[in-house]
Amino acid sequence: MGTATTRAVSLVGMQGHVVEVQAHLAASVPGFTLVGLPDTALSESRDRVRAAVTSTGLSWPVKKITVNLSPASLRKQGSAYDLAIAVAVLAGAEGPSSAGLRRTGLDRVVHLGELGLDGRLQPVRGVLPAVAAAVDAGYPDVVVAAGDLDEARLVPGARVVGAASLAEVVALHGGPPELVRDVVTVRPTRTALSARLPGDLADVLGQARPRAALEVAAAGGHHLLLVGPPGAGKTMLASRLPGILPDLTDREAVEVTAVHSVAGTFDPGGGLIRRPPFEDPHHTATQAAVVGGGSGIPRPGAVSRAHRGVLFLDEAPEFGAKVLETLRQPLEQGELVIHRSGGAARYPARFQLVLAANPCPCGLAVGKGLECTCSPTVRRRYFARLSGPLLDRVDVQVEVQPVDRVERAEGGAEPTAAVAARVLAAREAARARLADTPWSTNAEMPGRFLRDLLRPHAGLLGPIERAMTDGQLSLRGVDRVLRMAWTIADLAGRGAPTVPDVGNALLLRTGGDHG
């Protein structure tokens, strides 16, 4: 009888759990049993591991083999356990089938990788958060597929070894080195979209008010709604928002990179993701595609891939009502918990939502709306697809009017670099003010904290109280106006908002004139 133990990592959403892979080999009727709540892909590892071991040139133990994945109560999924299972089985073998692997210290090493039938190691998803979880749990020694080596090395404190085949891993642990052959390293197949460089704001002529709204949204992390006719520049403005956002901090870069690693959209060749991501799903996207889902443990959707970046919904009223309403939870909480029969997964989702919409189906209901061919009922029904509770969570709501001939001829619009510099200065001012809090942008400040900050400036609340009395603002809207007032003050370099700042914030929120 022989036993051996090594480690793997189980990912549930973004949270990693170190799993103890125990192999027990007994002199009985030959067989291979895998226990510990494996899913279908993991159950099939029995055949992959056996084929990989024999293809490597090693003898498969003719014994009763039982592999336990502990804790047994934690559901496991995926093929990343293949390498750990193979190492545990070979280390536990005795006699003619022994590969000579050292058992001492093997239980302190984490193995992550899928095995091909020819013994080559295949990359897997979620290597970065898995290695980070192993390091946090006190297991810094990790063996991964060579194709995942660049990604695994991004984790501070990890001692990572990459291997192209099972034979290399066997030799690493004291097995016969003569089995190692030159093999072609399997590279990860990612579904990442090609990097899109945002256009320059200098391309947007005129539109002074929407440009100012875009700058405020970027400086404070506020959500934005752009309403206007076709061709007015809504999409052009929204697509330039990532360009004026500052680079991600180290902590934010690790968060964003981990999400994209789990989603399979991360290319490790460029290192950590340092720029805010931009996601713009088509209006035919399903609820699972936007929010996340799938069978078993759900995968992250567009809202999580847009974490610390921008989620842009063009033609927002054309999205399904259920898709739009599921955005309400992440907009408030900054994270998303998806429950499925196979388990629940928690993903970060602190993104900036940008909605672009036509005022009606024909898009011409602007100004007096004389050219609009839609009836008043059709107009109301069309825009009512954006529900009141959803719009109440959108801080900046601005109309984008058609550009007239004079504005088109002017030119000389301010470029992205100039706006980005002001946004960065405003973000740094907010970060300094919030240094002793868990928040980093004005949009994240809770209502109680806002009211405490403004206690010495009670006179600022006059315009807001009048707007509440007129029914233009809800209590949630009051907090959002105050956050925008702080952002406007940060952009102007002031230490606190003034009455005009509050008036400008109300103008961006309601479109009315508040002094």
Side-chain angles (χ1 to χ4, degrees):
M1 180 182 70
T3 60
T5 300
T6 188
R7 307 281 171 173
V9 176
S10 172
L11 280 179
V12 181
M14 297 297 299
Q15 187 175 6
H17 305 270
V18 175
V19 173
E20 188 174 343
V21 181
Q22 308 162 338
H24 178 273
L25 287 76
S28 182
V29 178
F32 193 162
T33 303
L34 183 62
V35 296
L37 287 182
D39 69 347
T40 302
L42 181 50
S43 297
E44 294 171 347
S45 67
R46 293 172 296 190
D47 300 317
R48 290 194 299 270
V49 169
R50 183 186 293 110
V53 168
T54 56
S55 296
T56 301
L58 297 168
S59 300
W60 180 255
V62 187
K63 293 186 178 182
K64 172 62 177 176
I65 302 172
T66 304
V67 175
N68 179 43
L69 307 177
S70 178
S73 59
L74 178 67
R75 188 176 297 275
K76 291 81 174 183
Q77 68 166 5
S79 57
Y81 301 85
D82 288 3
L83 181 58
I85 292 172
V87 169
V89 169
L90 292 174
E94 298 175 337
S97 59
S98 173
L101 272 69
R102 294 185 298 267
R103 300 183 189 180
T104 304
L106 198 61
D107 61 338
R108 303 295 305 172
V109 181
V110 174
H111 295 86
L112 300 171
E114 175 186 330
L115 285 174
L117 300 183
D118 57 356
R120 287 191 297 172
L121 278 178
Q122 312 276 346
V124 294
R125 288 184 177 184
V127 165
L128 189 144
V131 174
V135 172
D136 291 342
Y139 298 93
D141 295 305
V142 184
V143 180
V144 300
D148 283 330
L149 183 59
D150 291 340
E151 181 176 344
R153 282 177 171 168
L154 295 174
V155 179
R159 297 191 291 265
V160 186
V161 176
S165 66
L166 176 60
E168 293 184 23
V169 180
V170 169
L172 176 68
H173 294 304
E178 61 271 14
L179 296 178
V180 178
R181 305 185 302 271
D182 290 334
V183 297
V184 177
T185 300
V186 181
R187 297 297 176 186
T189 55
R190 307 295 187 186
T191 57
L193 299 176
S194 58
R196 291 172 294 176
L197 296 176
D200 198 290
L201 270 173
D203 299 333
V204 183
L205 302 181
Q207 303 295 9
R209 185 179 171 193
R211 287 172 62 101
L214 193 74
E215 184 173 339
V216 170
H222 305 289
H223 308 305
L224 174 65
L225 169 65
L226 300 170
V227 181
K234 304 185 296 296
T235 303
M236 179 179 286
L237 284 163
S239 64
R240 280 147 179 78
L241 176 57
I244 62 177
L245 294 176
D247 289 342
L248 303 177
T249 64
D250 291 342
R251 181 179 61 84
E252 292 170 345
V254 171
E255 289 178 359
V256 172
T257 305
V259 172
H260 285 258
S261 175
V262 172
T265 58
F266 171 56
D267 181 7
L272 292 175
I273 298 175
R274 293 289 181 178
R275 292 296 303 157
F278 181 75
E279 292 285 333
D280 55 344
H282 191 260
H283 62 260
T284 57
T286 63
Q287 184 175 338
V290 174
V291 180
S295 59
I297 301 297
R299 296 287 185 184
V303 297
S304 294
R305 296 195 302 273
H307 179 59
R308 301 293 180 184
V310 177
L311 176 67
F312 175 44
L313 302 185
D314 202 2
E315 305 294 342
E318 300 296 339
F319 281 80
K322 290 184 178 180
V323 173
L324 294 173
E325 293 308 304
T326 53
L327 298 177
R328 287 158 59 177
Q329 178 197 5
L331 286 176
E332 285 292 324
Q333 301 178 5
E335 65 176 10
L336 196 64
V337 182
I338 308 173
H339 294 270
R340 294 292 185 271
S341 59
R346 184 183 302 271
Y347 292 110
R350 190 167 296 282
F351 55 89
Q352 275 188 260
L353 177 65
V354 179
L355 303 174
N358 293 326
C360 64
C362 77
L364 300 178
V366 292
K368 296 181 179 181
L370 299 179
E371 299 181 2
C372 177
T373 58
C374 306
S375 67
T377 302
V378 170
R379 295 182 194 176
R380 286 194 300 269
R381 285 179 179 173
Y382 181 77
F383 210 77
R385 297 177 186 177
L386 302 177
S387 68
L390 176 63
L391 291 179
D392 202 33
R393 290 168 167 82
V394 179
D395 305 1
V396 186
Q397 303 180 18
V398 64
E399 289 187 3
V400 183
Q401 298 291 343
V403 179
D404 60 32
R405 187 172 302 171
V406 174
E407 288 178 312
R408 286 201 303 271
E410 282 180 353
E414 198 172 24
T416 290
V419 179
R422 291 197 300 269
V423 168
L424 178 60
R427 286 275 184 123
E428 290 176 345
R431 189 172 284 114
R433 183 172 58 251
L434 302 172
D436 298 327
T437 72
W439 315 295
S440 59
T441 62
N442 292 329
E444 300 175 57
M445 292 191 295
R448 185 179 65 179
F449 184 79
L450 277 167
R451 288 185 284 276
D452 289 343
L453 281 179
L454 289 173
R455 201 176 302 278
H457 312 280
L460 297 176
L461 301 180
I464 295 178
E465 291 174 351
R466 289 193 295 272
M468 286 188 67
T469 302
D470 295 340
Q472 294 180 301
L473 281 181
S474 65
L475 192 57
R476 180 191 288 120
V478 169
D479 289 343
R480 295 186 177 276
V481 168
L482 292 177
R483 292 174 185 137
M484 282 193 290
W486 274 105
T487 300
I488 294 171
D490 289 338
L491 283 169
R494 290 187 283 272
T498 62
V499 172
D501 293 335
V502 174
N504 286 331
L506 278 168
L507 181 66
L508 291 174
R509 172 74 180 184
T510 64
D513 185 5
H514 301 276

